[in-house]
Amino acid sequence: MLQQQALIAALIEARIDKARRGVLFTLSQPGGHPYNWNCVVEKCTGLIKKFSDDLSTACIKPQEPKLPLGVPSSTMTDVSAFQKQYIYQGGKVCHILFNGQTIIWAADAISSLAVLSLNEDSYGIAQKDLPLIINTLLALKQALDKLQKSNIMTKKQHGDDKFIKQIFHSLRAAAKRSLYRIVTCFEIYIGDLGLETTTVEQLHSFLAYRE
């Protein structure tokens, strides 16, 4: 976790330091490989993807037992187990969200660097990874939207409930902000990025500024 935070901190500095960004947008000598940029993309998208996957998995609703008329007392054990599982699910979601600040930093950093690359990346290093970055951010937004539509966030889980809700809303804002940042910058190039049709369709609301 400390290594991840150190990386994100360095990327945040790179957002405002052109010299640092220059290191990211260079090729190795000899060989001509974009090792620095590849490392950044791999780490940032990897962090965001794992977070999104974990959140989506945690949001899967437990199977609720069906209670017909004349429920025998033994069935109440199933109900109790369901309630415990539901409470556990809420706690698991909160645990994932509790570490959301790093994801906010990662999304802001990678999207900002992608935008800055349009004018500063003379080798086109970053452009090849735009589909990956966009899809990763869309998956994050979808995972958060899925959580929003569930009733997990409406249940009080523990003493950090206020913080959890704040970080949730901050995550949603960061996902949208990062996507808008990229879409606004690369709008005229969207058709040239090699995006899947489904991805372009998901970006329509951003292109129309309806998110």
Side-chain angles (χ1 to χ4, degrees):
M1 179 62 72
L2 290 177
Q3 290 181 338
Q4 294 172 351
Q5 291 178 344
L7 170 65
I8 300 302
L11 294 181
I12 292 173
E13 290 184 18
R15 291 171 58 187
I16 58 176
D17 188 334
K18 189 173 182 178
R20 286 177 179 266
R21 293 196 299 274
V23 175
L24 296 178
F25 301 141
T26 56
L27 301 176
S28 64
Q29 297 296 332
H33 299 289
Y35 290 127
N36 293 334
W37 174 255
N38 287 349
C39 178
V40 166
V41 171
E42 180 182 346
K43 293 295 184 182
C44 283
T45 58
L47 277 173
I48 298 171
K49 183 180 185 304
K50 184 180 186 306
F51 180 89
S52 302
D53 290 345
D54 289 347
L55 194 59
S56 293
T57 300
C59 286
I60 297 175
K61 187 177 181 180
Q63 187 64 39
E64 185 173 1
K66 296 181 179 180
L67 300 178
L69 294 175
V71 179
S73 58
S74 60
T75 307
M76 297 309 295
T77 302
D78 296 333
V79 176
S80 177
F82 168 76
Q83 291 173 336
K84 289 179 180 179
Q85 188 176 0
Y86 188 80
I87 293 172
Y88 170 76
Q89 178 193 33
K92 190 173 182 180
V93 168
C94 287
H95 175 73
I96 295 169
L97 291 175
F98 197 81
N99 298 305
Q101 184 59 59
T102 301
I103 305 305
I104 293 173
W105 289 333
D108 275 329
I110 197 64
S111 60
S112 295
L113 291 172
V115 166
L116 289 165
S117 75
L118 185 61
N119 294 320
E120 299 179 16
D121 177 12
S122 58
Y123 298 104
I125 293 170
Q127 278 73 50
K128 67 178 176 57
D129 290 313
L130 280 173
L132 171 62
I133 295 170
I134 290 172
N135 282 314
T136 300
L137 292 171
L138 280 172
L140 173 62
K141 178 184 177 297
Q142 290 165 359
L144 293 166
D145 286 347
K146 181 179 179 181
L147 178 57
Q148 173 76 5
K149 292 175 182 177
S150 73
N151 61 351
I152 297 174
M153 293 300 296
T154 63
K155 302 291 184 181
K156 186 172 179 61
Q157 304 295 340
H158 46 62
D160 294 320
D161 188 62
K162 183 177 180 180
F163 171 78
I164 292 299
K165 289 182 178 179
Q166 287 177 340
I167 200 72
F168 169 71
H169 291 301
S170 295
L171 277 161
R172 292 193 77 209
K176 290 183 179 181
R177 178 172 63 247
S178 297
L179 283 164
Y180 265 124
R181 185 178 287 135
I182 293 175
V183 168
T184 300
C185 179
F186 292 95
E187 181 175 0
I188 62 175
Y189 306 108
I190 289 294
D192 302 319
L193 296 180
L195 297 171
E196 296 288 339
T197 302
T198 53
T199 300
V200 175
E201 290 174 352
Q202 292 175 58
L203 291 177
H204 279 167
S205 58
F206 289 94
L207 290 167
Y209 299 95
R210 290 199 303 265
E211 277 291 338

